[in-house]
Amino acid sequence: MRPILMKGHERPLTFLKYNLDGDILFSCAKDHTPTVWFADNGERLGTYRGHNGAVWCCDVSRDSMRLITGSADQSVKLWNVQTGEQLYSFNFGSPARAVDFAVGDKLAVITTDPFMDSPSAIHVKQISRDPSDQMGESVLTIKGPQGRINRAVWGPLNKTIISAGEDAVVRIWDSETGKLLKESDKESGHKKTITSLSRSADGSHFLTGSLDKSAKLWDIRTLTLIKTYVTERPVNAVAMSPLLNHVVLGGGQDASHVTTTDHRAGKFEAKFFDKILQEEIGGVKGHFGPINALAFNPDGKSFSSGGEDGYVRLHHFDSDYFNIKI
């Protein structure tokens, strides 16, 4: 596999997201400008200018017309994907960390970091078809969990919201009332900050990655722990193949602890695990620094990784990959 190297960011990558068709890829980084690329050849299509802080997360609507981005500049912005025009800006009193469109794209969940006196919170916003009708008010605000909420996504039929973050607990909330329905067990759950959360293609289960050097697979309705994947370094990003039973984990130490030998020691590779057997089946090297973002193309034939080194690496799988036997 010869990766395509995409250099469009000045600073470390934070998040990657394919659109539903899998033909374009969005990248977020600490350099304020989310960027969109062609997913087959890595050609840069354009950038979205308007944020004044690191962009932590993004999501794209099902019809690939709207992009939503959350940033450290305390705003979440809606963009026209084609023109790059800013349609609306939700402003908060604290940095916005995670964003996720609901099925149907009429709602979005946004999390904000603890800042000054305000605790972390989960906000649900209504998204209007016509940007001129867009309102800034939240339909629901949930306050409560201690520490930063790194990820929040919608559960089945938009009835629930799943959140996870600094306190290492996965929680399921009722998306209408804001009531806490379930939280992960201290014994079976993660022991350190949960950095990433990724839903399966069919929405029946999800994967969390944590600084405790493991990733865990959960049932999205019951929050039952299904599988645990153990690696030898903190996990910053996780993704699941929509095609095969493969899970990919990326990570590495915090940038401040990095020594020059780590790259050669293979500490910065994306590691593939068998989803069912929980065994490591391979790795993809290449980044000069921890991997912060991973995404699988919805067709399962390629994946991309974003690193602390500012590069996005796009990998199209060889035919051998589809015949891996364990």
Side-chain angles (χ1 to χ4, degrees):
M1 281 192 332
R2 283 191 67 88
I4 299 171
L5 255 67
M6 289 135 72
K7 180 71 174 146
H9 290 288
E10 310 280 307
R11 300 279 317 279
L13 268 288
T14 53
F15 198 76
L16 291 167
K17 179 81 187 182
Y18 285 92
N19 67 337
L20 196 63
D21 302 332
D23 57 349
I24 51 177
L25 172 67
F26 296 89
S27 60
C28 300
K30 292 184 180 171
D31 65 0
H32 313 183
T33 40
T35 300
V36 57
W37 316 79
F38 279 117
D40 58 344
N41 59 7
E43 187 186 332
R44 179 154 77 163
L45 261 165
T47 52
Y48 300 88
R49 297 188 181 277
H51 278 300
N52 315 316
V55 181
W56 295 121
C57 194
C58 69
D59 195 14
V60 58
S61 61
R62 302 289 183 280
D63 59 4
S64 303
M65 299 297 278
R66 304 274 185 83
L67 177 72
I68 186 169
T69 54
S71 164
D73 66 6
Q74 310 193 349
S75 75
V76 166
K77 295 185 189 297
L78 280 171
W79 311 83
N80 178 319
V81 167
Q82 284 172 309
T83 63
E85 177 199 356
Q86 186 178 317
L87 302 174
Y88 194 81
S89 182
F90 296 104
N91 296 311
F92 298 93
S94 50
R97 179 71 47 175
V99 291
D100 191 45
F101 278 124
V103 176
D105 301 322
K106 291 195 170 73
L107 295 168
V109 61
I110 296 165
T111 71
T112 51
D113 290 353
F115 189 69
M116 312 288 266
D117 300 333
S118 52
S120 56
I122 300 170
H123 310 265
V124 177
K125 301 280 187 191
Q126 233 152 355
I127 306 293
S128 305
R129 278 242 163 266
D130 182 351
S132 56
D133 300 338
Q134 185 63 52
M135 308 284 269
E137 288 76 51
S138 298
V139 191
L140 173 71
T141 303
I142 306 169
K143 292 193 167 141
Q146 293 304 304
R148 207 164 70 202
I149 305 167
N150 287 327
R151 288 281 173 267
V153 300
W154 293 91
L157 304 173
N158 301 342
K159 289 199 181 335
T160 53
I161 292 168
I162 295 118
S163 73
E166 231 168 20
D167 62 2
V169 181
V170 182
R171 293 183 175 84
I172 298 187
W173 310 85
D174 183 305
S175 63
E176 280 192 15
T177 62
K179 192 165 146 275
L180 179 61
L181 302 175
K182 293 190 175 67
E183 53 182 44
S184 60
D185 180 66
K186 286 272 191 288
E187 288 302 301
S188 61
H190 285 293
K191 303 293 182 271
K192 288 187 182 169
T193 298
I194 297 173
T195 52
S196 45
L197 193 160
S198 168
R199 262 179 319 222
S200 62
D202 64 359
S204 66
H205 52 284
F206 64 95
L207 183 67
T208 52
S210 163
L211 298 182
D212 65 9
K213 305 184 180 176
S214 75
K216 290 178 185 288
L217 195 67
W218 310 83
D219 183 286
I220 207 160
R221 289 185 171 82
T222 61
L223 203 54
T224 313
L225 180 64
I226 308 171
K227 301 278 179 188
T228 299
Y229 311 93
V230 182
T231 144
E232 70 288 344
R233 68 224 154 145
V235 178
N236 300 340
V238 293
M240 277 182 279
S241 167
L243 202 59
L244 302 175
N245 282 321
H246 289 173
V247 167
V248 57
L249 313 181
Q253 299 89 328
D254 192 354
S256 58
H257 301 155
V258 170
T259 60
T260 49
T261 54
D262 277 340
H263 161 64
R264 284 194 294 284
K267 281 276 201 290
F268 300 138
E269 57 186 348
K271 295 217 183 258
F272 280 74
F273 284 78
D274 185 285
K275 193 182 204 170
I276 317 296
L277 303 176
Q278 309 176 58
E279 285 172 16
E280 192 178 318
I281 49 180
V284 177
K285 288 193 175 70
H287 282 286
F288 288 94
I291 293 175
N292 298 337
L294 286 168
F296 252 99
N297 191 306
D299 67 8
K301 294 180 179 161
S302 61
F303 86 105
S304 53
S305 56
E308 192 72 28
D309 54 9
Y311 281 94
V312 179
R313 297 175 75 94
L314 181 61
H315 307 265
H316 288 282
F317 293 116
D318 296 338
S319 51
D320 314 349
Y321 164 80
F322 300 100
N323 309 317
I324 294 177
K325 296 277 182 287
I326 295 202

